[in-house]
Amino acid sequence: MLTIGSHMSIAGGLAAAAENTAAMQAGTMQFFSRNPRGSSFKTPSPEEVLAFQRARQEHGLGPLLAHAPYTMNLASAREDVYSFACDVIREDTARMDALGIEYIVFHPGSHTGIGVEAGIENIIRGLDTALEADGNILILLETMSGKGTEIGSRFEELRAIRGGVRRPERVGVCLDTCHVFSAGYDIVHRLDDVLEEFDRVLGLPLLRTVHLNDSMTPFAARKDRHAPVGQGEIGLDALLGVLRHPALSSLPFFLETPFDDSGHAAEIRMIRERLAS
Ligand code: FE
Ligand code: FE
Ligand code: ZN
């Protein structure tokens, strides 16, 4: 059974987002854990939380995914940037866990000149503070395209991060199809090889969620430009191959394509039809 959803706005509240997800015939959703370009968040009222839990149960929504804001850079050597990132990952991991969200994903960060190793050290220290508190939520490292000084475009870098934290059992991986393609993992012609490499370096059980995006830019361009499924350089057949792959097909898939809710609903419909035919 395919579990697919899209990135949803929670401007109207979490409960409304869950209802919209069900109305779109989606089975799960991703949403920002706080304002993606700022730092603010609204604490939902107890009534709102209850309505959200009821909606998610009633519609049988699959594992839910919170996405940390883009403004957060846990690799940064700048003290203010770094301490903000540490606060965000610690607070949002706890807040999302309290809501019963299964996963929170974040972009490992950009080292902005201090080097991959020093950046990874910062990420590890920050993650350790977020993992001091007990909880059920898993923190997922997103596979990145490698633009600029971005960390996480090689599976080995994600392994170094996970391997360095005190509680690696609380850390998994979210594979973004646009990003890995852009980073030079050929999921179009060699999906089996890419997954074998993932398994060898990280272990496939660590892979928990997939961001299903096509790519506006060519293979190994190290850019991060999402295209609608089937309208980019990865193409529909390759993305259907990802959805069908036995190592992936039971995972939750999340669209981050440039559409609003009705566009995502149509995209999900198209994917279901193509998978069935
Ligand atoms: Fe992301
Ligand atoms: Fe993504
Ligand atoms: Zn992206």
Side-chain angles (χ1 to χ4, degrees):
M1 243 292 272
L2 171 69
T3 303
I4 189 166
S6 62
H7 186 90
M8 301 291 290
S9 163
I10 55 165
L14 266 173
E19 291 294 350
N20 291 344
T21 295
M24 289 162 60
Q25 310 290 326
T28 184
M29 65 174 181
Q30 173 179 272
F31 58 92
F32 282 121
S33 59
R34 69 171 72 194
N35 184 328
R37 312 211 170 268
S39 62
S40 63
F41 62 86
K42 219 175 87 204
T43 305
S45 68
E47 294 76 29
E48 170 74 17
V49 173
L50 205 70
F52 163 63
Q53 304 295 7
R54 220 182 280 130
R56 102 170 258 196
Q57 247 192 7
E58 184 190 324
H59 301 298
L61 298 187
L64 301 180
L65 178 58
H67 197 302
Y70 298 136
T71 43
M72 171 192 140
N73 184 5
L74 214 48
S76 179
R78 267 183 54 186
E79 194 44 51
D80 54 337
V81 174
Y82 185 62
S83 70
F84 169 73
C86 288
D87 289 347
V88 169
I89 193 69
R90 192 183 63 249
E91 290 169 10
D92 286 12
T93 299
R95 286 170 51 239
M96 295 302 116
D97 190 45
L99 286 169
I101 306 302
E102 282 83 352
Y103 303 116
I104 179 167
V105 63
F106 78 104
H107 297 177
S110 297
H111 66 70
T112 61
I114 59 170
V116 174
E117 248 172 74
I120 287 178
E121 279 309 312
N122 290 346
I123 297 166
I124 290 169
R125 267 192 298 132
L127 277 179
D128 274 338
T129 66
L131 291 170
E132 261 167 34
D134 288 325
N136 296 313
I137 194 167
L138 240 64
I139 300 181
L140 304 184
L141 310 169
E142 182 161 351
T143 60
M144 301 309 294
S145 62
K147 68 175 188 297
T149 61
E150 222 167 45
I151 294 170
S153 64
R154 302 295 314 170
F155 298 154
E156 286 80 1
E157 293 172 3
L158 301 182
R159 176 177 63 189
I161 295 168
R162 185 175 184 273
V165 301
R166 270 187 234 116
R167 304 176 77 173
E169 70 280 4
R170 298 276 311 278
V171 178
V173 176
C174 172
L175 184 131
D176 187 309
T177 53
C178 166
H179 298 176
V180 290
F181 176 78
S182 199
Y185 290 103
D186 190 357
I187 58 171
V188 175
H189 304 101
R190 298 172 165 273
L191 179 60
D192 278 333
D193 293 346
V194 171
L195 293 176
E196 257 170 49
E197 188 170 344
F198 187 101
D199 193 38
R200 197 172 58 244
V201 176
L202 284 156
L204 273 172
L206 294 188
L207 183 50
R208 299 308 181 98
T209 60
V210 176
H211 283 165
L212 192 75
N213 304 306
D214 213 322
S215 173
M216 276 172 59
T217 54
F219 177 66
R222 296 176 79 87
K223 294 268 165 44
D224 183 355
R225 303 287 302 279
H226 300 188
V229 168
Q231 295 179 41
E233 301 278 333
I234 301 175
L236 184 59
D237 286 342
L239 289 170
L240 290 173
V242 167
L243 287 154
R244 285 194 183 111
H245 197 283
L248 308 175
S249 59
S250 62
L251 298 175
F253 294 88
F254 301 86
L255 298 165
E256 298 176 314
T257 48
F259 282 127
D260 60 8
D261 287 359
S262 68
H264 281 139
E267 201 172 21
I268 289 169
R269 247 185 343 263
M270 181 276 287
I271 288 169
R272 287 195 203 281
E273 278 163 20
R274 295 299 302 258
L275 276 179
S277 67

